[in-house]
Amino acid sequence: MKDTDIVYGVHAVTESLQANTGNKLYIQEDLKGKNVDKMKALAAEKKVSISWTPKKILTEMTEGAVHQGFVLRVSEFAYAELSVILDKAEQEDNPLILILDGLNDPHNFGSILRTADATNVTGVIIPKHRAVGVTPVVAKTSTGAVEHVPIARVTNLSQTLDILKEQGFWIFGTDMNGTPSTKWNTSGKLALIIGNEGKGISANIKKQVDEMITIPMGGHVQSLNASVAAAVLMYEVYRNRRV
């Protein structure tokens, strides 16, 4: 439990405390203000002990990240079972499951989770190997969304896509060539694959995709950051649901 035992920053710490995953709260010893009062009250309510700690030690604990004076030791992140996400999808009219194929940047992962929460995504599936998991940076970047969006970690993405197809999901991928996102038929059960930041979707996974979706672009740079591309497509589904 090396990289998942702390979260830091006001939002991430607040969400973790509210979700009852906090074990010990470290607050910068000279910090004052509303945030400190709120955090003390929340920690007391959740029966989490507080340690008043020098800023230098908090900076060492977070390896130099911006912690805003709050670091929380938490129990290891509890991934959801795939069956939980599938059960949740059964309760929804137009479920969208996001599949991250080999994403490596924790900031991208965190911001994808933040948008996923904002657009009512049913759940997120990530592979166990060669991909970023839920780390303190992911939790901080997601501003607490990790506590609200179910995340399943699977050993074999290809087998998982087979299971989704059996359950009636249409599998979509993102590519330079494909159906423009503005003409994407987003009704029914959707599973959207976001590929690795550099290489895109892996070749064996591409074979299982029903339709490729492309985001129309007019500039000189012909690709978007993974989290931005994911956000554009999540909002396309969200917008169509609300029409």
Side-chain angles (χ1 to χ4, degrees):
M1 199 175 78
K2 293 231 173 16
D3 62 352
T4 49
D5 65 346
I6 61 164
V7 296
Y8 49 84
V10 175
H11 290 296
V13 168
T14 302
E15 292 285 349
S16 292
L17 282 170
Q18 285 171 341
N20 298 306
T21 55
N23 298 329
K24 185 169 185 181
L25 176 61
Y26 299 83
I27 302 179
Q28 191 174 311
E29 59 186 5
D30 55 355
L31 210 59
K32 304 229 172 350
K34 274 188 200 159
N35 282 338
V36 176
D37 297 338
K38 280 182 192 163
M39 213 68 90
K40 274 168 63 181
L42 187 54
E45 181 194 323
K46 299 294 184 180
K47 300 185 170 49
V48 172
S49 65
I50 295 173
S51 168
W52 297 91
T53 308
K55 183 179 183 180
K56 181 172 178 287
I57 291 175
L58 295 183
T59 303
E60 283 166 12
M61 286 171 78
T62 57
E63 297 177 349
V66 180
H67 50 71
Q68 297 172 295
F70 300 99
V71 176
L72 181 68
R73 200 164 286 287
V74 293
S75 44
E76 191 166 12
F77 183 76
Y79 290 96
E81 293 296 323
L82 178 61
S83 58
V84 169
I85 292 177
L86 293 175
D87 288 348
K88 190 177 171 213
E90 285 303 312
Q91 317 296 316
E92 297 175 358
D93 290 338
N94 186 193
L96 171 62
I97 292 176
L98 214 55
I99 297 156
L100 308 181
D101 178 18
L103 212 66
N104 289 321
D105 185 331
H107 293 98
N108 275 340
F109 188 14
S111 40
I112 284 171
L113 289 173
R114 193 172 177 177
T115 312
D117 180 48
T119 56
N120 298 333
V121 164
T122 307
V124 175
I125 297 170
I126 62 171
K128 267 187 183 155
H129 307 293
R130 293 186 292 281
V132 68
V134 177
T135 66
V137 174
V138 172
K140 169 90 166 51
T141 314
S142 83
T143 62
V146 286
E147 305 295 351
H148 302 292
V149 180
I151 304 163
R153 212 175 186 195
V154 298
T155 312
N156 189 314
L157 266 189
S158 183
Q159 282 175 8
T160 302
L161 291 178
D162 286 338
I163 292 167
L164 288 170
K165 285 190 176 190
E166 282 164 23
Q167 300 271 339
F169 278 84
W170 287 91
I171 312 293
F172 295 94
T174 46
D175 200 44
M176 294 304 297
N177 303 306
T179 305
S181 55
T182 49
K183 296 194 167 74
W184 179 20
N185 178 359
T186 61
S187 56
K189 294 175 159 184
L190 315 175
L192 174 65
I193 305 168
I194 302 294
N196 168 278
E197 291 90 350
K199 301 179 203 139
I201 298 171
S202 44
N204 64 320
I205 296 294
K206 230 173 206 181
K207 290 176 193 153
Q208 292 173 274
V209 170
D210 293 312
E211 188 178 356
M212 284 295 182
I213 304 298
T214 187
I215 298 169
M217 280 181 271
H220 298 88
V221 180
Q222 284 306 303
S223 69
L224 293 171
N225 166 288
S227 65
V228 175
V232 169
L233 297 172
M234 283 186 263
Y235 267 103
E236 189 64 29
V237 176
Y238 183 66
R239 181 179 72 83
N240 289 341
R241 275 194 204 129
R242 293 168 64 85
V243 169

